[in-house]
Structure formats: C-alpha cells, structure tokens
Amino acid sequence: MLKYYIQTTEALKNLRTDEGGVVSFEYIIVAACIIGAVAAAFGTGATGAIGTALSGGITAITTKFTAAV
C-alpha cells in the first residue's frame, strides 16, 4: 500500500512541475465545458429546443420531398 502511495505522490509532483501536463489538464477542462454546453443545447436524447427544431425541420423536408416525388 505504501508503494502505491509513494508512486502516486511522485506522479502528482511530476504533474505539478510538468508544463505539458498542465496544458493537457486545461484541454480536459475545456472539453468538459464543451460537452456540457452541447448537452445543454441539444438535451440528452434530442429533447432539447435545438433537437426538437432540427427534428421538425427534417420532418418538414422529408414530407415535402416525398410529396414532390
């Protein structure tokens, strides 16, 4: 158990001093924010306002296309 604690502590020390690690952690935070924004806009399962509008638009286009053919 002590061995894993020491390895974890050393890894965290290296991450704190590593500039590349900081940048990659910032990318993870930005990606999480983007995922949250997309989930808020579209909803989970196309039940959000944008998902409903897109579904309605696609249905209207499909109906008009079927009628034209």
Side-chain angles (χ1 to χ4, degrees), residues 30-46:
V30 170
C33 291
I34 291 172
I35 290 170
V38 169
F42 287 99
T44 56

Side-chain angles (χ1 to χ4, degrees), residues 3-25:
K3 179 176 122 180
Y4 295 119
Y5 175 76
I6 293 172
Q7 288 177 348
T8 304
T9 306
E10 291 300 318
L12 290 174
K13 284 180 187 177
N14 290 336
L15 185 61
R16 261 187 267 160
T17 60
D18 184 22
E19 291 294 321
V22 172
V23 173
S24 65
F25 187 70

